[in-house]
Amino acid sequence: MATPKKYFHDHLVLLLLSVNGFLATAGSIFILVRLSTSHGNGYIVQYRSSLGINAFETGNVLDLLSFVVFAALVLGIHAVLSMRAYHVNRQVAIAILSLGILLLALTIIISNALLVLR
């Protein structure tokens, strides 16, 4: 039981977990607010550059709500992976949490780009 105690007492790990939690929560709220203020059914959910004029593909709200589910999954999976990797190597755990921050930032950027096209 020494690993969880050391894991949660590491200041850098706690900082990265907090940033991951904030980005996941802020991104989810941002997406949900943008979806609730939009009226209509057709949302652009994909861009395929190889299709030419028909490069934008439309979808429904569930396709965009998958970004919220993805943010929650990234937060949970990266936290568990880093906790399990912490007792092997601290730097690996920090790298896992840092990559989680990158994924959550990209989730916010891409969902914003798709919602702006609406």
Side-chain angles (χ1 to χ4, degrees):
M1 263 336 239
T3 302
K5 185 175 182 181
K6 286 183 182 180
Y7 180 77
F8 288 113
H9 286 288
D10 192 343
H11 293 287
L12 185 58
V13 169
L14 285 178
L15 174 70
L16 293 173
L17 279 173
S18 299
V19 171
N20 274 328
F22 174 75
L23 286 176
T25 305
S28 299
I29 290 172
F30 174 73
I31 292 168
L32 292 173
V33 166
R34 293 284 302 260
L35 286 176
S36 68
T37 58
S38 301
H39 300 291
N41 296 343
Y43 293 97
I44 295 174
V45 294
Q46 292 181 10
Y47 174 74
R48 306 279 182 178
S49 62
S50 62
L51 294 178
I53 284 197
N54 296 328
F56 297 109
E57 294 186 17
T58 59
N60 56 12
V61 175
L62 292 177
D63 294 329
L64 288 172
L65 285 177
S66 64
F67 281 106
V68 176
V69 173
F70 178 73
L73 283 174
V74 166
L75 176 64
I77 289 172
H78 280 88
V80 170
L81 281 176
S82 69
M83 190 181 305
R84 289 187 179 197
Y86 187 80
H87 75 282
V88 175
N89 194 350
R90 178 180 180 264
Q91 284 77 24
V92 172
I94 290 171
I96 290 170
L97 290 173
S98 300
L99 290 174
I101 291 172
L102 175 68
L103 273 176
L104 290 170
L106 288 174
T107 301
I108 293 170
I109 291 168
I110 292 171
S111 64
N112 183 43
L114 289 173
L115 286 168
V116 165
L117 290 174
R118 170 85 173 91

